[in-house]
Amino acid sequence: MPVLSASFVNYRNLENKTIDLLSKEVYFVGENGQGKSNLLESIYYSAYGNSFRTRADAEIVREGEKSFSLKTLYREDSGVTDSIFVAFENGKKRIEKNSKKITDRKELINTMPCVLFSHDDLEFAVGEPEKKRFFIDQCLSMYDVLYIDTIRKYKRILKSRNQTLKEFKYDMLDVYDLQLAQEGAEIERKRRDAIFQFNQIFGKLYEQITGIDGLSIKYEPSWKMNENQIPTQDEILKILQSTREMDRVIQTTMSGPHRDKIRFVRNGENFIPTASTGQRRLTAILLRIGQAIFYSQISQKKPLLLMDDVLLELDPDKRQSVTANLPEYDQLFCTFLPGEPYERYKHSTTRIYKIEKGSWKEEL
C-alpha cells in the first residue's frame, strides 16, 4: 500500500502544495531545520493520527496561522486509491478516511503500517522500563486491535484503583482487583508470546550484523509465579492481596503489567550496562528492523519504513550492514544531510528530493 502523495496547508514550514511520493524509495536531503523530518512526520501522522514528535497538535500549525490540514493518498494492494485527511482547527482535530469521519485512531490500524526509526529509539535500549514496555506494546498494537482495547481498559481500571487508594475508599478494591486481574492477565499473555516470537528474529539479526551471539530480550512480568507460566486469575488476586498494605501506604498500585520489566541479556548477564555507545545505538536500530520483520511475519503485509537520520552515528561498515539487512518494505523514506553518502544506498527506483526552507525539488 504505497503512499502516492501528500498535500499540505499550513503544516509546519512545508509549502502549501502537493508532493509526489510514488516510488519504492524516497530520500529527503537537506540541512537541519529545513523540513525533512516534517515530511516524515506527515506520513506517520496520516498512518496513525498523531505525531511522533509532539503530543500537542497546535505545535504543528505554521507560525502565524491558526489551523493546518494534511491529505495523503495511498494505494491498497487491490489497486484502489484511498485518502486520509487530517484537519486541526479551533483546538480540535478531525480525521477522515475516504471522506468518512474516523472516531477512534485504532480504526487507522493497518491503513498505512509504518515503522519509524529515530534518535529517540535509543530509549528502547537504555531508557526506563516504561519505554521498553511501550516498544513491545507498539509491536502488538500494529496488528492487534483487541490488544489496544485491553491496554485501554487496563489503564482505566488502574487509574480508578489508584484514585480509590488516594481517597481511602478501600471497599472498592476487591472489585478493581478482579477487573485488573482479568485485563492484566491478557496483557501478560500477549507480551510473553510477542517477546518469544520477537526473540527468534532479534538475536539472529544482532549476530548477523555485529558478530555478537546469544543476545535476547528477557521479559520479567510483575505478576510471576514461575519463569514460563502465566499466573491464573486466582493467583493474581492473591498477589494483589499480598501487596495491598503497601499499596495503601504508597497510595498507588505496586504490581501489574504497568510494572513489568524488559531486559537485554547475553549469557545470563545484563547486556546494555556494559555495551558500548555504538552497540546500544545498534540495538535500538535492530529493534526497529526486528519490529518490521515481526509485523510482516504476523500480518503477511510489508510496512512503510521511515528513517529519520538514524545512520549518522554508525560507522560506514555498520551503515552498509544495516541498509543491506533492511526487511522487505512497501516503501522506504529516509532523511539525509547533504554531506552523507546517500548515493551508496540508492537504487534505480529511488526518488531524491532536495529540501530547503520547506520547499522541495527533485534531483534528476
Side-chain angles (χ1 to χ4, degrees):
M1 48 189 72
V3 180
L4 306 179
S5 66
S7 303
F8 312 102
V9 176
N10 300 333
Y11 191 97
R12 294 200 184 266
N13 75 329
L14 299 178
E15 284 189 279
N16 289 345
K17 66 178 190 179
T18 299
I19 184 170
D20 186 349
L21 298 171
L22 182 55
S23 188
K24 185 70 172 177
E25 299 89 20
V26 182
Y27 292 174
F28 302 123
V29 181
E31 299 289 352
N32 290 327
Q34 300 304 301
K36 306 188 304 295
S37 295
N38 295 343
L39 287 161
L40 284 192
E41 178 192 45
S42 72
I43 299 166
Y44 187 93
Y45 203 117
S46 298
Y48 296 120
N50 63 355
S51 168
F52 63 84
R53 301 165 70 195
T54 179
R55 294 184 178 181
D57 292 310
E59 293 180 5
I60 298 174
V61 179
R62 179 179 298 155
E63 187 174 353
E65 302 293 342
K66 297 180 180 179
S67 63
F68 79 80
S69 68
L70 165 67
K71 183 174 183 179
T72 304
L73 300 182
Y74 68 96
R75 188 171 61 215
E76 294 194 32
D77 295 338
S78 63
V80 175
T81 297
D82 291 332
S83 67
I84 298 293
F85 177 77
V86 183
F88 179 80
E89 190 173 14
N90 297 323
K92 294 183 179 180
K93 176 165 59 181
R94 185 174 83 258
I95 305 175
E96 297 175 357
K97 180 178 179 180
N98 296 332
S99 300
K100 182 180 179 181
K101 187 176 180 181
I102 296 289
T103 57
D104 190 324
R105 287 192 294 110
K106 74 179 183 182
E107 297 176 49
L108 293 174
I109 296 297
N110 282 329
T111 296
M112 294 189 299
C114 293
V115 173
L116 171 73
F117 297 71
S118 76
H119 289 291
D120 292 340
D121 295 346
L122 186 60
E123 290 296 305
F124 298 147
V126 304
E128 296 297 317
E130 180 183 5
K131 297 293 185 180
K132 299 180 177 71
R133 291 193 298 268
F134 174 82
F135 175 78
I136 298 301
D137 288 344
Q138 188 183 66
C139 289
L140 283 157
S141 298
M142 284 182 68
Y143 65 89
D144 189 345
V145 175
L146 293 179
Y147 186 73
I148 297 173
D149 288 336
T150 302
I151 284 284
R152 288 176 175 178
K153 287 178 187 176
Y154 180 85
K155 288 181 177 179
R156 286 197 297 269
I157 298 162
L158 180 65
K159 183 178 180 180
S160 296
R161 189 180 192 273
N162 287 341
Q163 189 63 37
T164 293
L165 290 167
K166 288 180 172 62
E167 295 175 356
F168 310 107
K169 297 179 179 178
Y170 301 138
D171 56 320
M172 289 295 295
L173 287 179
D174 286 341
V175 174
Y176 290 135
D177 283 2
L178 181 60
Q179 296 173 345
L180 208 66
Q182 290 171 337
E183 304 302 331
E186 181 67 4
I187 292 171
E188 181 174 332
R189 182 184 70 80
K190 290 195 173 183
R191 283 179 179 172
R192 278 180 183 269
D193 289 346
I195 290 173
F196 176 81
Q197 293 178 67
F198 199 92
N199 269 329
Q200 313 310 305
I201 300 165
F202 180 69
K204 295 175 184 176
L205 192 62
Y206 204 92
E207 182 179 2
Q208 186 175 347
I209 291 182
T210 68
I212 297 175
D213 63 357
L215 185 63
S216 65
I217 301 170
K218 184 179 181 181
Y219 178 43
E220 299 178 352
S222 172
W223 295 333
K224 182 172 68 173
M225 302 304 292
N226 62 52
E227 191 69 27
N228 299 309
Q229 185 175 340
I230 300 171
T232 65
Q233 185 172 298
D234 286 342
E235 288 171 335
I236 292 172
L237 290 173
K238 288 180 182 179
I239 293 171
L240 286 168
Q241 185 66 44
S242 70
T243 59
R244 185 174 287 187
E245 187 57 39
M246 183 188 302
D247 293 350
R248 286 174 175 172
V249 172
I250 302 178
Q251 296 183 335
T252 194
T253 305
M254 295 300 293
S255 70
H258 62 292
R259 300 283 180 176
D260 288 352
K261 294 181 180 179
I262 295 167
R263 304 183 192 277
F264 298 90
V265 297
R266 181 171 182 260
N267 298 327
E269 301 291 333
N270 284 340
F271 176 73
I272 294 299
T274 59
S276 68
T277 301
Q279 288 171 333
R280 294 177 180 185
R281 169 57 65 186
L282 199 55
T283 298
I285 292 174
L286 297 186
L287 279 172
R288 285 301 197 189
I289 292 178
Q291 185 180 59
I293 297 171
F294 177 75
Y295 172 79
S296 294
Q297 289 182 352
I298 296 291
S299 68
Q300 300 301 305
K301 296 179 180 179
K302 294 181 288 187
L304 307 177
L305 304 185
L306 311 180
M307 303 188 74
D308 194 12
D309 287 343
V310 294
L311 301 179
L312 279 173
E313 297 178 20
L314 300 180
D315 62 55
D317 289 341
K318 289 295 188 295
R319 289 189 193 187
Q320 200 70 40
S321 295
V322 167
T323 54
N325 284 279
L326 288 178
E328 286 192 66
Y329 49 79
D330 223 0
Q331 274 180 298
L332 170 65
F333 296 90
C334 292
T335 64
F336 293 99
L337 292 170
E340 290 187 79
Y342 56 88
E343 294 89 353
R344 295 182 188 176
Y345 317 127
K346 72 178 183 179
H347 307 274
S348 59
T349 53
T350 304
R351 197 168 198 163
I352 300 174
Y353 283 106
K354 296 295 184 67
I355 313 299
E356 186 175 359
K357 296 181 180 178
S359 298
W360 50 86
K361 183 178 180 181
E362 188 169 1
E363 183 182 277
L364 301 175

